[in-house]
Each structure stands twice: as structure tokens, then as C-alpha cells.
Amino acid sequence: MLGIIIFYGLVAIAQGLDLRVAKGLHSRGYDAVRISVVDDGSTSYGSFFDYNANFQQVWSDMHLHSTVKELQNGSATFNIAGNEIEIKLPAEGSATRGFLIADPCISSRDLNCPFLDSFQTFDRLTEVINTVVGSDDIDFWGIIGDNFYEHKSSIGKMLFDRLTLEVKSKVFLSVPGNHDFWIVGGPPGVPQDQFGYGFMQYYGQDTLAGLKTAAPFDFSVPRVPHQLPKMENFVFSNQIGNLAVFGFSGAHAWADLQPHTEDFCTWMQSTETVDTVMVLGHWNEGNLGCSADTTAPKVWSAMKDLPGCNSKLMLYVDGHEHCNHVTEPGHGFMIGANGMGGCGQFGFMVLETSTRNTIDTRVDYFEISNAFTDYWDPLSTCLKEGGYLGCRDSHSASWLGPPTTTTTTTTRTRTHSNPGGDGLQGWEIVVIVVAGLALTAVVAGLVISCTNRPRQVRVIDANAATPLAADAQAQQPAQGSSQ
């Protein structure tokens, strides 16, 4: 109870510093981070920041302060406008753990958010991020595009203003989605669109553009008429623990992106402290401003066999289609259902790497709610009391994990009606129980049908959103088309 009271007390306190910490590009060295603050320009930070200017092209009432700092031995405390900010990195080559979502909507101001009220996305996202990301369980977090569906001004600021400094001092990753360029979803857009300019300044990644100019970004391409910033403003490669991350924009041409994918894999050839690679791209298919060869699955496919990358465990994460499920067993994951219409889901995923063997890398999916069942109360209570580690066995679905001898998982072609898996329906679930009773008597196997079994069997399936979701799978809504 005390923990719950403290939590609500933290949320009630205004977190005035709109802070962003991004991992530095790998070429800057492992200990580099980009630290940024967004404000109205009225605060002086002395000589702490190298760049101080109004937002360029859009949202000119905002002011960006940014600098690159080095963390000695992976940790440092900085005083920023009277706030003691401790930034920590996992040791280079060590296991790491990150929280990921995509396509979050917390307001209908610029675009309708269908599940805003029924899923209570604003309040629940705030709470779950403060609880999970703000704990010692998580090293980094990220939003994989369509960040809050904003174009007039930042809607994301509504959420960041309610996040604790413990959250905002963690490494943050983000790549743009179609709505981050065009509010209606695709080109050519309308004159009021941000065309990615608001996104790149507000979410503060350390991108290739920052190596070429004194500013952290390249503002040389005018937004009007309907032009996108240069691709280098959205491409980054960095390392967190033993995880390497490649982030990119799907709205730009493959011919321009391809050399950067090759450079990344060349880096992998000479990097012994990376075991797992995560490719981050918003689009899952070629449409709405993205060509077929710059989707996340296609870029991952092009990279996974390149020298250097082919010796690592290659994963990708996307959104765009508003569903949460496994898209490429063992490799690909979609986490795009967080308030928008589509599969009628709401949840987050946690990636955990391992230093023992890449086969022990795991991805756990937590379903907060869906169109038929709300899991919030028990999940929220568990997370506050036990954190991610204390809740993953009872409240998550394993999308990727070490093999076990007690669970058999069947892989089938995915459908959009399954809340947490790759295509099994509730009436299809088969439980295989193998028990050894004695040295001289072995039961080879007992197949229990979900529709004809002599007793109730509690099923925890990698394809169910939570242990409670197996009974709801057959009722899931049909695929939506909103992206």
C-alpha cells in the first residue's frame, strides 16, 4: 500500500524538466549520450548545452537545448537547472532490457483516438511507463513511430510532463511513422503538417545529421511545399549493453538508406560486445508514404544476411498496423495497438537480452486491455508491487524466449484476431501433457482437446495475450484498416 501511495505522489508532482536522453551514435564511443531539454526559451542553462535555439520550421514556440556528453564508467550525474539528473548505461556487452510501444494516442485533438476513453490510454500509459520504465528493471525505452498523432503542436508533451525524472533520464529511442510526417496518414499532406520537423526536434535522437552540422539536425530542406527533412535526421546506430540498435525512416528512399545498413553491418563485423541487433522501423508494409523496400521487415531481411549482421541474432520491431503480435517467429514483433483502431488491443512489450547465449533472449508482451477484456486492475497492482520481473510469468505472453521442456508452442500463419500471438484461435488450443510416473512406467503423452476435456486445464500459451486471454481469443474483432 505504501508503494502505491508513493507512486501516486510522484505522478502528482509536476515534472517540469522536459528532458530527453538518447544513446550516442556508435561512432562517438559507447559512453556517449545526447541530452536534450525542450522548453519555452525562458530558462538559462549556462554553458551546459552546445545548441540553444527555437524549433525550426514548426512549433516555433518551443525551444531546443541539446548537447552530447560522455558518461565516465557508464554513469554520471548532471545538474540541469537545479535538477540532479543521474544517467546510467548498462556495461558494454552486458545484458539489457527495454520497454517498447508504437502508435500511442492519448488525445483526439488532431486525429480521432478511438479507444481513448474505453482503454483510458492517457492515464494508463502514464502510470505503466512511470512504474515499469522508472524502475531498476528497465535500461531503455522507446516509441516506434506515430508518436501521439500530433501536428499543430506537441501532444507528446502532455505525457512527458507527467513522467518522472527517473523515466526521462533513461535512454529513449524513437523513429518516425507516417503520421509524424502527414497528420492524415500519407503524402502529399496539408500545409499545416509537421513533415517530421516537430518529431525530430521534440524526441531528440542522436542521428547521422548531428555529425555533419553544428546543430543536432539538418534544417536545410524547407518544409513548404510538402517536403521532408533529409533522411540523415532519422537514421541512427548505437549500442546499449550487448544490444545494437539501427533506427531509420521508412518515408525515405532505399537507395539512400542502403549504404547506412551496410555501414552498420560492417561495424557489427568488428564488434565483439554485441550479440543481438534490433532494427526499428515504423511501417510493416509499403503504403502511406513508405515504399515496399523500406518497411521494417524488408530492411531487416536485407540486413540479416550481410557480413557482420549474419553472426548476430537479428530482430525487428514495427507498428503502423494497429495490432500487437509476432510477425516473424523468432525475429519480428509488432506493437502498434495503443489506442488507435485496428485489432482492438492495448499493450507493451519488453525485450531482454542475455549474455549467456542469444537463445536466452526474450520478448514478453503485456496486454493491458482489449475490446472484450480489461486486465488493467490486476496488472497495475502486480507491476506496482512486483515490477516487470515479478509479473512477467503471471501477466505476460512469451513472444520470444528460451526453450523449455514443459511447454509446446505451435506456430501458424498469423491472423489479426489474436491479441497476443501468431495466429492460434481459442478453439484450436491443444495442450500436450507428458508425465513420467515411475522408472518402470512412462506415459508417452496425453492430448487434451480444448473443446472436449474431462477437467478444466489452465493454459498459459505464448499466443495468448495473458493467461486470462485464452478464453477471449475466439471472440477477437476482425482486422481494422486504420494505420
Side-chain angles (χ1 to χ4, degrees), residues 391-415:
C391 299
R392 68 183 182 186
D393 291 338
S394 56
H395 289 273
S396 76
S398 177
W399 280 0
L400 177 68
T404 68
T405 58
T406 58
T407 302
T408 298
T409 301
T410 303
T411 299
R412 300 193 182 184
T413 303
R414 69 178 175 90
T415 69

Side-chain angles (χ1 to χ4, degrees), residues 204-319:
Q205 298 302 289
D206 191 36
T207 67
L208 293 177
L211 296 177
K212 298 181 177 181
T213 67
F217 304 105
D218 184 338
F219 303 109
S220 62
V221 178
R223 180 177 64 92
V224 179
H226 306 277
Q227 297 188 89
L228 305 186
K230 287 187 176 181
M231 181 193 63
E232 286 78 11
N233 288 298
F234 308 103
V235 177
F236 59 83
S237 58
N238 55 48
Q239 182 179 349
I240 307 170
N242 65 344
L243 174 72
V245 183
F246 181 78
F248 70 97
S249 161
H252 292 77
W254 170 245
D256 296 327
L257 180 63
Q258 184 177 11
H260 300 300
T261 66
E262 294 170 350
D263 289 345
F264 178 90
C265 292
T266 298
W267 169 46
M268 289 297 95
Q269 282 185 292
S270 60
T271 306
E272 296 181 355
T273 57
V274 169
D275 300 308
T276 302
V277 170
M278 179 172 64
V279 177
L280 296 180
H282 175 75
W283 282 262
N284 68 306
E285 59 183 349
N287 60 23
L288 298 175
C290 176
S291 64
D293 48 11
T294 54
T295 66
K298 286 291 187 179
V299 172
W300 165 81
S301 181
M303 295 176 67
K304 66 183 178 67
D305 295 324
L306 292 176
C309 286
N310 61 3
S311 62
K312 314 295 183 183
L313 173 62
M314 294 289 294
L315 308 177
Y316 71 87
V317 184
D318 60 25

